[in-house]
Every structure is written in structure tokens, then in C-alpha cells.
Amino acid sequence: CALLDNASVKCWGLNNRGQLGIDNNTHMGKTSGSMAQLTGINLGTGRTATAISAGVYHSCALLDNASVKCWGLNDYGQLGIDNNTTMGDGSGQMAALTSIDLGTGRTATAISTGLLSTCVLLDNASVKCWGQNGRGQLGIDNNIRMGDDSGEMALIPTVNLGTGRTATAISAGDYHTCALLDNASVKCWGYNNRGQ
């Protein structure tokens, strides 16, 4: 995916789960002329993007109003829309896509997509993650997936980064997540079978 100079977003490549956000599941970029046919993603009326993060089967955008929208595969709730409906692979789905409930009064400043999870850095320098959690990659002291049931997004706790600690950056991997903290230290959580 690319964030263009006019704040629109275009994605290309594998699209078997609607991860390109073009309201179908046609792969783009492989055949002659397909890149020229690529349209900008419908982020909502009047909405543009300030950041984009592409996972394997889902993608997310941080919008100009500090909200977040995700599309593509959603079997673990990684889109953060309180269900497990895949979005972006059917006609009109991108226009119907709602912003993620980040909590009362909360907005996002950064976003990172993992394999089947998503994390944001919030405006108060806290971190919130949702989606698959089989390895603890959401940082919520359990392995329960979040974001796939009605009302769940509003209830997700922020990651406990330590007493008085906040984050300045976030990065989600396949099964682990790391945060750069306000004191320039780094904390990571999740799968550690290779010392990650």
C-alpha cells in the first residue's frame, strides 16, 4: 500500500480477502495495465489518510480526523469492527466501513498491523491492540482474541507498559508486538520461540 501525495491510498498485490480495499477480490499489479486501473481506496466521504499499515490479509489507515479504519480478513476481529465479517471484498463494503471504537474520547496517532492483529498508539500515548491473541500479542495478560464480538472494542484495556510509562511508537509483528517507550526503552510481548 502507498499513501499518495494527495492523502489518498492505493494498494496492490494479493487480494484474496479484500485487503486491497477495492470492493472485490481481484489481485492487482500482476498483469499489464492493472496498476493504471487501480483506484484510490474509499475511506469515507471527505476522509483522507495520514498513515497506512498493510498486514498479510488486512490493511488499516489512520485518517485525517485521527480515526482508524481497517479492511480485509477479519476472522479474529483484526479489523476492530466488533464482528468477524471480512470487509473490502464485496461491492459497496468500503463505503459502509465504520471507524473503530478506540474508547471514549480516544483517537489514534499511529497504527501497525500484525499477521492477524492490529495495534494503535493513542492520543494519550497508551497502546491498544485487537485481533488474534493466541500468543499474548495483544498485551492484555491473557490469550483471548478481541474485536470480534459486539461491544468488545470499547472494553479492550490498554497495554500495561509499566508504572508511569507511555509509548512513542508501536510495531506489530506476526505473533509479537513492541513499543518504544517515553524513556527511550523498548518493551515487547507475545510469542518468543525465537527470542523475538
Side-chain angles (χ1 to χ4, degrees):
C1 294
L3 177 59
L4 305 183
D5 58 350
N6 64 356
S8 68
V9 173
K10 289 186 178 183
C11 297
W12 57 93
L14 183 70
N15 193 34
N16 60 330
R17 301 290 192 233
Q19 58 265 50
L20 301 188
I22 55 175
D23 286 333
N24 61 52
N25 59 5
T26 303
H27 308 315
M28 298 297 287
K30 185 177 178 181
T31 59
S32 178
S34 64
M35 290 301 288
Q37 297 169 10
L38 206 55
T39 60
I41 294 172
N42 184 349
L43 298 172
T45 304
R47 294 279 65 95
T48 58
T50 59
I52 184 81
S53 183
V56 177
Y57 299 109
H58 77 293
S59 304
C60 297
L62 175 59
L63 303 183
D64 59 307
N65 63 355
S67 68
V68 172
K69 287 187 177 182
C70 299
W71 57 91
L73 183 66
N74 193 32
D75 54 346
Y76 290 95
Q78 59 266 44
L79 302 188
I81 55 175
D82 286 330
N83 61 52
N84 60 1
T85 303
T86 294
M87 296 294 287
D89 64 345
S91 180
Q93 287 184 348
M94 290 302 294
L97 196 59
T98 59
S99 296
I100 294 169
D101 183 350
L102 299 173
T104 304
R106 294 279 64 95
T107 58
T109 60
I111 187 157
S112 183
T113 53
L115 176 63
L116 297 167
S117 63
T118 306
C119 293
V120 292
L121 179 60
L122 297 176
D123 60 307
N124 63 355
S126 65
V127 171
K128 189 176 275 198
C129 301
W130 58 88
Q132 186 188 45
N133 194 29
R135 305 292 186 200
Q137 61 266 46
L138 302 187
I140 55 174
D141 291 329
N142 62 48
N143 62 358
I144 299 168
R145 68 177 141 199
M146 298 296 286
D148 61 341
D149 285 328
S150 180
E152 211 167 52
M153 287 302 296
L155 304 175
I156 296 175
T158 57
V159 177
N160 182 349
L161 300 171
T163 304
R165 294 279 64 94
T166 58
T168 59
I170 185 78
S171 183
D174 283 357
Y175 298 105
H176 75 292
T177 307
C178 295
L180 176 62
L181 303 185
D182 60 305
N183 63 355
S185 66
V186 173
K187 284 191 176 179
C188 299
W189 54 92
Y191 207 27
N192 194 33
N193 64 327
R194 298 289 189 267
Q196 55 265 52

